[in-house]
Amino acid sequence: MKYDIILSGVGGQGVLSLAAIIATAAMADGLKVRQSEVHGMAQRGGAVQAHLRISDSTIHGDLIGRGKADMILSMEPVESLRYLDYLKPDGILVTSEDPFENIPDYPDLERIYSTIKSLPKSRLLKAKELAKEAGSMRATNMVIIGAAAGELPLGEDSIINAVKDLFKSKGQAVIDTNIRAFKLGGGNIS
């Protein structure tokens, strides 16, 4: 088994936290993990992406080739399309529909949504709305991972335990909010 994920978004959206949760859950399930990340101009609202490779056997490299990703997991719709050429023909794109408008000529949202919906497999979520319902806008990335969880070769308990581990220093209320967001993401897919 091998599963390759491109994670993308904008600096400050929690892309690398998503990668850490998935990697931690994969290792808890006895799988091997390799990761490469590019921060770019992350502190200035720039692109952030990570390659995350999961396998039950040796992984020989950190990077995912074009046309080889099983999933694009994105915090932002334009950033999800930036890496579309990495997605396998039968791969899935999971993204928030909420734009991070950090450029003056941000593309037309309806065209972006139409492109995403035209893919063989995609999930477009009202992630900010669901995170707010869970108790914190900061939990948007947990909504996204919740929407992706059913496609990942990981146990749900492993993912929840990884969420608990990542947020344990922030207290039980933060853990509970993030788990609520994870669960809301899994049940609210448009």
Side-chain angles (χ1 to χ4, degrees), residues 104-122:
D105 55 347
Y106 194 91
D108 177 66
L109 279 173
E110 290 311 313
R111 281 188 63 203
I112 295 167
Y113 299 156
S114 177
T115 301
I116 292 167
K117 290 175 182 178
S118 74
L119 297 171
K121 289 176 72 177
S122 66

Side-chain angles (χ1 to χ4, degrees), residues 78-90:
V78 165
E79 291 301 322
S80 73
L81 296 181
R82 182 187 305 260
Y83 302 102
L84 204 52
D85 60 335
Y86 283 88
L87 193 62
K88 286 180 176 179
D90 62 340

Side-chain angles (χ1 to χ4, degrees), residues 90-131:
D90 62 340
I92 185 168
L93 184 147
V94 179
T95 186
S96 173
E97 71 174 30
D98 306 306
F100 187 95
E101 296 185 35
N102 58 345
I103 53 175
D105 55 347
Y106 194 91
D108 177 66
L109 279 173
E110 290 311 313
R111 281 188 63 203
I112 295 167
Y113 299 156
S114 177
T115 301
I116 292 167
K117 290 175 182 178
S118 74
L119 297 171
K121 289 176 72 177
S122 66
R123 294 186 182 163
L124 186 62
L125 295 108
K126 297 180 184 302
K128 284 185 179 179
E129 185 179 303
L130 293 169

Side-chain angles (χ1 to χ4, degrees), residues 44-103:
R44 295 185 179 94
V48 175
Q49 58 111 343
H51 291 227
L52 183 61
R53 306 189 72 203
I54 301 167
S55 180
D56 59 0
S57 61
T58 302
I59 303 169
H60 296 287
D62 296 348
L63 300 178
I64 300 165
R66 295 191 191 283
K68 302 292 185 187
D70 296 286
M71 177 183 286
I72 294 174
L73 188 58
S74 185
M75 294 297 300
E76 207 278 341
V78 165
E79 291 301 322
S80 73
L81 296 181
R82 182 187 305 260
Y83 302 102
L84 204 52
D85 60 335
Y86 283 88
L87 193 62
K88 286 180 176 179
D90 62 340
I92 185 168
L93 184 147
V94 179
T95 186
S96 173
E97 71 174 30
D98 306 306
F100 187 95
E101 296 185 35
N102 58 345
I103 53 175

